[in-house]
């Protein structure tokens, strides 16, 4: 994707390519897996094919350990699921339109449901490391929006998207059917890549945040803008800064996510079966 190409047109073009490479008429559900979640894909359903996204000209490719530049096509509960085994982030130097490209292409390829997962620091004092938490809402502190810039082309919804029910209450209820113990929390999205200071975590807690991370918010906005239903799930990989004496380390975050990935994959499979 080059800067001169309209991001909506590029998403539509890449949607055609994704369908062609997977030899399917359309996809139904998109899943974006966060840091260390790759093995979750194995527990979602039956793999049909794998797409190397690096082979698509200009597709933004993840550079962070724990994120793979590929997507897997999985059949689960009669739905064609497009599972991205990684994502790109603002902190990799990517613009918002590139951060949301996979999500926009998925919606163009037919997905009416977009499931966004991430590794997050736990701010809520009741959260345990290894616990999945449904995102009930977010506080976007990245200072960026995928809808900034030229207005969406004709035929697309306008740029002033309503985010009142951004994280679908219906999908959250279905996820709780699949795993009744699931907690819900507010996700604060920061630009990163550094972790927060303890003072920032105290500020976020006072502002009503339960979780903190460096992804998801822009993708959720882009998916909702195009009319998809969005579910967000954070895996608590560490207590947020200042809430534990241990220093924060990306390797520990990825290992904590890997340790819970199979449980999360089953949760995703159970949810998709209910859609
Ligand atoms: N802060 C920000 N992002 C994160 C964290 C954190 O503590 N853990 C995993 N991703």
């Amino acid at each position: 994707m080059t800067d001169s190409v309209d991001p909506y047109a590029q998403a539509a073009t890449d949607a055609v390519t994704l369908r062609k490479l997977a030899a399917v008429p359309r996809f139904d559900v998109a899943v974006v897996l966060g840091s260390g979640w790759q093995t979750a894909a194995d527990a979602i359903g039956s793999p049909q094919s794998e797409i190397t996204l690096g082979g698509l000209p200009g597709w933004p490719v993840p550079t962070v350990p724990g994120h793979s530049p590929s997507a897997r096509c999985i059949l689960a509960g009669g739905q064609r699921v497009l599972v991205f085994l990684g994502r790109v982030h603002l902190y990799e130097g990517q613009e918002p339109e590139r951060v949301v490209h996979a999500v926009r292409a998925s919606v163009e390829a037919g997905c009416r449901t977009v499931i966004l997962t991430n590794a997050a620091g736990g701010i809520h004092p009741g959260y345990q490391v290894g616990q999945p938490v449904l995102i009930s809402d977010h506080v976007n502190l990245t200072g960026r929006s995928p809808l900034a810039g030229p207005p969406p082309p004709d035929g697309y919804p306008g740029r002033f998207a309503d985010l009142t029910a951004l994280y679908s209450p219906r999908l959250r209820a279905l996820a709780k059917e699949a795993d009744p113990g699931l907690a819900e929390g507010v996700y604060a999205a920061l630009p990163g890549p550094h972790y927060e200071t303890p003072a920032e975590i105290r500020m976020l807690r006072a502002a009503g945040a339960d979780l903190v991370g460096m992804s998801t918010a822009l993708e959720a906005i882009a998916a909702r803008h195009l009319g998809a239903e969005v579910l967000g799930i954070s895996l608590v990989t560490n207590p947020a800064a200042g809430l534990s004496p241990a220093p924060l380390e990306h390797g520990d975050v990825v290992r904590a996510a890997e340790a819970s990935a199979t449980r999360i994959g089953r949760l995703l499979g159970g949810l998709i079966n209910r859609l």
Side-chain angles (χ1 to χ4, degrees):
M1 183 165 42
T2 61
D3 288 344
S4 56
V5 177
D6 165 52
Y8 294 89
Q10 186 67 52
T13 302
D14 285 347
V16 174
T17 308
L18 289 174
R19 286 192 298 235
K20 208 178 284 173
L21 288 173
V24 297
R26 57 178 283 128
F27 290 100
D28 305 300
V29 179
V31 178
V32 180
L33 293 180
S35 296
W37 284 58
Q38 278 66 23
T39 51
D42 302 333
I44 294 177
S46 322
Q48 307 291 301
S49 60
E50 191 132 337
I51 299 170
T52 306
L53 299 169
L56 273 65
W59 188 282
V61 167
T63 60
V64 180
H67 293 261
S68 160
S70 49
R72 196 174 296 170
C73 313
I74 292 178
L75 205 54
Q79 314 255 8
R80 292 190 193 92
V81 187
L82 182 58
V83 181
F84 293 94
L85 304 179
R87 57 156 60 87
V88 296
H89 307 80
L90 286 174
Y91 64 71
E92 292 171 78
Q94 301 284 7
E95 289 300 311
E97 70 192 43
R98 293 173 69 82
V99 169
V100 307
H101 182 66
V103 161
R104 278 198 179 129
S106 302
V107 179
E108 290 282 358
C111 296
R112 306 309 304 151
T113 305
V114 173
I115 302 175
L116 303 168
T117 72
N118 61 52
I123 300 177
H124 192 291
Y127 292 165
Q128 308 293 320
V129 168
Q131 179 180 351
V133 178
L134 293 174
I135 299 177
S136 57
D137 205 348
H138 77 216
V139 183
N140 176 13
L141 295 171
T142 67
R144 309 297 298 275
S145 169
L147 306 183
D154 287 349
Y156 286 87
R159 51 163 59 122
F160 300 111
D162 171 46
L163 303 181
T164 309
L166 177 53
Y167 296 92
S168 160
R170 186 184 82 88
L171 293 183
R172 280 187 272 148
L174 288 179
K176 284 183 184 163
E177 268 179 45
D179 186 340
L182 278 174
E184 294 199 356
V186 173
Y187 177 85
L190 274 77
H194 52 271
Y195 291 113
E196 302 69 36
T197 63
E200 286 166 342
I201 295 300
R202 288 194 297 274
M203 179 197 76
L204 293 173
R205 180 75 192 132
D210 302 301
L211 302 153
V212 60
M214 307 174 192
S215 67
T216 303
L218 302 190
E219 292 151 281
I221 294 167
R224 190 76 204 106
H225 171 242
L226 294 181
E229 262 191 302
V230 177
L231 184 76
I233 310 178
S234 289
L235 181 73
V236 178
T237 52
N238 55 280
L243 300 181
S244 121
L248 296 180
E249 222 262 288
H250 182 66
D252 292 339
V253 166
V254 173
R255 276 187 289 279
E258 283 168 352
S260 298
T262 301
R263 175 179 172 199
I264 303 287
R266 286 203 201 102
L267 162 63
L268 293 174
L271 166 70
I272 291 166
N273 271 297
R274 286 174 167 78
L275 288 175

